[in-house]
Amino acid sequence: MKLQRKNRLRATALGALAVSGALVLSACGSDDNTKDSDGGEKTAAASTIKCDDAKGQVLAAGSSAQKNAMDLWVKNFQQACSGVEINYQPIGSGGGITKFTQGQVAFAGSDSALKPEEVTASEEICKGGKGINLPMVGGPVAIGYNVPGVDSLVLDGPTLAKIFDSKIKKWDDKAIADLNPDAKLPSTAIQAFHRSDESGTTQNLNKYLKAAAPSDWKYDDSSKSWEAKGGQAASGSSGVASSVKDTEGAIGYFELSYATASNLTTVKVDTGAGAPVEATTENASKAIAAAKVKGTGNDLALELDYATKAEGAYPIILVTYEIACDKGNKAETLPSVKAFLNYTVSEEGQKVLSEAGYAPLPTEIAAKVREIVPTLS
């Protein structure tokens, strides 16, 4: 398990080194550039990217869950396509949707689908159309912890709900001990961290806790804001991961790529299946593959099963959507948005996700997104 974690860390680091700390990635060239059939630039590392008429700057914002994936995508796309800049700000799903419905960005990233009132608001910006949800990246919401001497930890839905609701306060609590009979649990106080910003990651954890522990989690599972009592807040997935890493006795939630990059051990979840399930891209993919499309027309909003008991299926999952207008996109950015999203949902774009701790889209869902992106107008 440690070897697998190290391998994931090494793979993530390779992609992250070139984009470390970057919120805005500028267009860059390559010594290996050659012209493709469309007249755009391509590199040996990104030989199938089609630039089409992409040019200029595209502003986008939203989910911090997909930041590490977006960094890799932007890096590859801009290496292949000179003269275009994708400026993605990982300000959280709620902030991204607000910027989209106010017309400040060409597309937004969100870990939850648009609500009906948000679709209505988007109609003011998408002249003759509306905002639609395009699934682009999936993955596990890992529960990372910092308890020295405890290298393996199993928790279930009710126990996690009580920890994050400040009902379980010590690491040697009987509920935790019963799930981990072989662990030497200290009496250290639990320091539970949550997101301070509106977050689709928070919403997906809410949905899992509501499904897995309905009698213990009484909060609104449609909310992107943290409503439970107590705990400590940090900004973004990176802030929560950093806080957990720096605080003995801490526990928090964030995408697997952040746990991997911070070298944090993650909780195995007891779902009621034959064995507790580890947070891996493979195990998240098993759960995401069971998702059903609940959107209509070109909207591909998904319904996820957070209460799955399928063997090896990790239940705390999210899918990040890129939200764009189906019609009424701004003419100056539309070619670049389409070219970029065509790349991110391509086989090549999805392939890089596993290297960064994310789960590629199920084949059938990816195929539907590939059909819709070219129709954006």
Side-chain angles (χ1 to χ4, degrees), residues 108-189:
S110 177
D111 307 322
S112 56
L114 291 170
K115 296 179 180 179
E117 60 268 26
E118 292 168 338
V119 174
T120 299
S122 74
E123 293 173 355
E124 295 295 319
I125 300 302
C126 306
K127 301 301 183 182
K130 62 182 180 180
I132 57 173
N133 303 284
L134 299 173
M136 200 61 69
V137 56
V141 178
I143 308 295
Y145 66 96
N146 179 356
V147 184
V150 180
D151 296 327
S152 180
L153 185 69
V154 175
L155 296 174
D156 59 12
T159 307
L160 281 167
K162 291 171 186 174
I163 287 173
F164 281 112
D165 200 21
S166 302
K167 300 289 178 57
I168 292 179
K169 302 178 183 296
K170 300 283 188 179
W171 279 107
D172 61 353
D173 188 277
K174 185 178 184 299
I176 300 176
D178 286 347
L179 289 165
N180 299 274
D182 298 327
K184 294 182 179 179
L185 299 167
S187 59
T188 307

Side-chain angles (χ1 to χ4, degrees), residues 197-274:
D197 50 324
E198 284 199 346
S199 161
T201 311
T202 293
Q203 186 184 54
N204 281 279
L205 177 64
N206 270 332
K207 288 180 178 295
Y208 162 73
L209 293 174
K210 194 77 167 181
S215 61
D216 295 300
W217 196 253
K218 302 297 186 180
Y219 304 102
D220 180 6
D221 65 353
S222 68
S223 176
K224 296 185 182 73
S225 300
W226 187 258
E227 297 182 354
K229 310 304 179 186
Q232 301 180 58
S235 178
S237 291
S238 59
V240 176
S242 178
S243 297
V244 172
K245 183 177 180 65
D246 294 340
T247 308
E248 186 170 324
I251 188 170
Y253 59 95
F254 27 75
E255 293 66 42
L256 181 62
S257 60
Y258 291 93
T260 303
S262 297
N263 202 25
L264 287 168
T265 308
T266 60
V267 167
K268 300 180 189 69
V269 177
D270 183 347
T271 63

Side-chain angles (χ1 to χ4, degrees), residues 9-358:
L9 175 59
R10 186 178 300 115
T12 303
L14 290 174
L17 280 174
V19 295
S20 176
L23 297 183
V24 179
L25 300 179
S26 299
C28 54
S30 167
D31 292 337
D32 295 326
N33 282 352
T34 56
K35 295 288 184 179
D36 64 14
S37 60
D38 296 314
E41 297 291 331
K42 70 178 181 179
T43 68
S47 58
T48 65
I49 295 176
K50 293 185 179 297
C51 303
D52 296 325
D53 297 319
K55 62 183 178 180
Q57 184 185 65
V58 173
L59 299 180
S63 164
S64 66
Q66 69 169 355
K67 176 189 180 298
N68 294 334
M70 188 62 72
D71 283 349
L72 288 172
W73 282 332
V74 170
K75 170 179 169 286
N76 292 343
F77 185 74
Q78 291 183 168
Q79 282 182 339
C81 304
S82 62
V84 63
E85 178 187 342
I86 308 297
N87 180 336
Y88 182 81
Q89 298 177 328
I91 60 175
S93 299
I97 289 174
T98 297
K99 281 184 173 290
F100 177 73
T101 56
Q102 292 178 349
Q104 298 178 25
V105 294
F107 69 90
S110 177
D111 307 322
S112 56
L114 291 170
K115 296 179 180 179
E117 60 268 26
E118 292 168 338
V119 174
T120 299
S122 74
E123 293 173 355
E124 295 295 319
I125 300 302
C126 306
K127 301 301 183 182
K130 62 182 180 180
I132 57 173
N133 303 284
L134 299 173
M136 200 61 69
V137 56
V141 178
I143 308 295
Y145 66 96
N146 179 356
V147 184
V150 180
D151 296 327
S152 180
L153 185 69
V154 175
L155 296 174
D156 59 12
T159 307
L160 281 167
K162 291 171 186 174
I163 287 173
F164 281 112
D165 200 21
S166 302
K167 300 289 178 57
I168 292 179
K169 302 178 183 296
K170 300 283 188 179
W171 279 107
D172 61 353
D173 188 277
K174 185 178 184 299
I176 300 176
D178 286 347
L179 289 165
N180 299 274
D182 298 327
K184 294 182 179 179
L185 299 167
S187 59
T188 307
I190 294 174
Q191 306 287 336
F193 284 88
H194 58 265
R195 291 279 291 270
S196 61
D197 50 324
E198 284 199 346
S199 161
T201 311
T202 293
Q203 186 184 54
N204 281 279
L205 177 64
N206 270 332
K207 288 180 178 295
Y208 162 73
L209 293 174
K210 194 77 167 181
S215 61
D216 295 300
W217 196 253
K218 302 297 186 180
Y219 304 102
D220 180 6
D221 65 353
S222 68
S223 176
K224 296 185 182 73
S225 300
W226 187 258
E227 297 182 354
K229 310 304 179 186
Q232 301 180 58
S235 178
S237 291
S238 59
V240 176
S242 178
S243 297
V244 172
K245 183 177 180 65
D246 294 340
T247 308
E248 186 170 324
I251 188 170
Y253 59 95
F254 27 75
E255 293 66 42
L256 181 62
S257 60
Y258 291 93
T260 303
S262 297
N263 202 25
L264 287 168
T265 308
T266 60
V267 167
K268 300 180 189 69
V269 177
D270 183 347
T271 63
V277 186
E278 185 181 0
T280 67
T281 57
E282 295 83 3
N283 292 343
S285 292
K286 292 178 183 177
I288 294 171
K292 294 179 172 57
V293 176
K294 64 178 181 180
T296 57
N298 283 348
D299 185 275
L300 296 180
L302 302 177
E303 183 175 350
L304 303 174
D305 181 8
Y306 299 92
T308 180
K309 292 181 174 58
E311 294 296 331
Y314 184 79
I316 317 176
I317 50 176
L318 61 75
V319 169
T320 299
Y321 302 92
E322 310 311 335
I323 294 170
C325 297
D326 58 353
K327 299 177 182 178
N329 289 278
K330 293 180 179 178
E332 61 268 27
T333 56
L334 178 59
S336 297
V337 169
K338 291 172 68 173
F340 180 65
L341 297 183
N342 274 327
Y343 161 61
T344 61
V345 78
S346 69
E347 289 186 11
E348 182 177 338
Q350 290 291 299
K351 185 178 180 180
V352 304
L353 294 177
S354 296
E355 302 171 4
Y358 295 92

